[in-house]
Amino acid sequence: MCYDEIVWVERLEGWLLVPHEMLHVFAYRLIGKRCHYRVGNLHVARAEPLMRRERIFVLLLPTAVSGTVCIVLAAAWAVSACLLAKTDSRYPQRMPLWHAGLLTAFAVSFVYAGAGWMDILTAAALLRGHQKTPYEPPDKADEHQDERQSPQRRD
């Protein structure tokens, strides 16, 4: 696989994650903290430090929202499927378009709920008491600090 293909896949992944990352941005706004995000990036970067409970809230809000939407859509589809099966004996063959759309919306929300898996692992590590986790993106402040602390090579 060449480098251009990898860059293309990462760029596509960044664009597909926009709804998930925008929920992270929304979580930052809810707690009154600043963050950095550019559409298409894979992560939202913290602009200021967060307490542990704030980090957990920011991590889990997108998964909670998309998981709730997923459960509601699944329940709506299941209830409507039961009602349609009672009223129409040929229900699976003559599924209404709106019912197929409900199933598609469930599948999409299920994928977005799964996008939060690393966020769940990171929140679990924070709850166990770890300060830094391997799953979180680096802070913007940490990146600049690392550049200042890196030793200069002299020839």
Side-chain angles (χ1 to χ4, degrees), residues 1 10 33 44 51 57 64 84 95 101 109 119 130 141:
M1 190 184 306
E10 286 178 355
K33 299 291 184 171
V44 176
M51 295 186 324
F57 175 76
L84 286 170
M95 181 186 295
S109 68
D119 294 338
H130 300 285

Side-chain angles (χ1 to χ4, degrees), residues 59-72:
L59 285 167
L60 294 181
L61 181 77
T63 305
V65 168
S66 54
T68 302
V69 168
C70 181
I71 290 169
V72 167

Side-chain angles (χ1 to χ4, degrees), residues 35-98:
C35 63
H36 298 290
Y37 179 67
R38 186 180 306 160
V39 175
N41 285 357
L42 294 177
H43 301 286
V44 176
R46 293 189 299 253
E48 55 189 274
L50 299 175
M51 295 186 324
R52 184 170 66 153
R53 67 174 186 251
E54 292 173 333
R55 288 171 67 189
I56 292 170
F57 175 76
V58 168
L59 285 167
L60 294 181
L61 181 77
T63 305
V65 168
S66 54
T68 302
V69 168
C70 181
I71 290 169
V72 167
L73 289 172
W77 185 85
V79 168
S80 61
C82 291
L83 293 174
L84 286 170
K86 285 183 180 181
T87 59
D88 188 1
S89 61
R90 295 185 53 209
Y91 157 66
Q93 293 84 16
R94 295 192 319 203
M95 181 186 295
L97 188 58
W98 64 267

Side-chain angles (χ1 to χ4, degrees), residues 141-152:
D142 290 346
E143 289 176 6
H144 298 300
Q145 187 178 16
D146 290 343
E147 289 172 5
R148 286 192 305 263
Q149 290 179 353
S150 62
Q152 297 293 327

Side-chain angles (χ1 to χ4, degrees), residues 15-27:
W15 282 99
L16 290 175
L17 285 176
V18 167
H20 177 85
E21 298 305 323
M22 292 307 291
L23 285 170
H24 282 300
V25 172
F26 179 65

